[in-house]
């Protein structure tokens, strides 16, 4: 099943911002069909910043901990999957910024949940 995603693109002179407002999967840990909380099941976002209308060529990727701004440095203790999920639940939205010079006329974002399900979205830029 595809995750349910609500997102939008905001553009400024220098930046393109992908704002993810909602991300839900229709599964829970017990497989009872209940939805997990918003963003709890988000595993990663893959992006093609110069989509040609046919092929997806990944420009950037963001794992859940990247979206939270959690750095994986050797000195720092790595966050567990449960800690990352709890942090994601607290978010009202997730914003990913790109330099507008890196972007073409269309951007594709593929959102992947913890079960491997994907939702794909194409954004046309002005």
């Amino acid at each position: 099943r595809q995750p349910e995603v609500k997102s939008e693109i905001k553009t400024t002179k220098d930046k393109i911002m992908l704002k993810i407002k909602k991300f839900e999967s229709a599964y829970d840990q017990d497989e009872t069909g209940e939805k997990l909380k918003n963003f709890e099941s988000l595993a990663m976002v893959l992006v093609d910043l110069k989509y040609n209308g046919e092929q997806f060529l990944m420009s950037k990727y963001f794992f859940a901990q990247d979206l939270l701004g959690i750095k994986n440095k050797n000195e720092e203790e790595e966050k567990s999957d449960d800690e990352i999920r709890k942090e994601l639940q607290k978010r009202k939205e997730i914003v990913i910024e790109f330099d507008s010079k890196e972007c073409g006329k269309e951007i594709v974002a593929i959102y992947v949940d913890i079960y491997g399900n994907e939702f794909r979205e194409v954004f046309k830029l002005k």
Side-chain angles (χ1 to χ4, degrees), residues 10 25 27 40 48-49 51 58 66 94 113:
K10 294 279 186 185
S25 295
Y27 297 98
E40 184 180 359
D48 180 350
L49 295 174
Y51 183 57
M58 185 174 60
D66 302 327
I94 292 174
D113 70 14

Side-chain angles (χ1 to χ4, degrees), residues 66-77:
D66 302 327
L67 298 169
L68 293 170
I70 298 169
K71 303 288 184 231
N72 262 349
K73 295 180 181 166
N74 292 338
E75 318 86 62
E76 291 182 25
E77 191 175 313

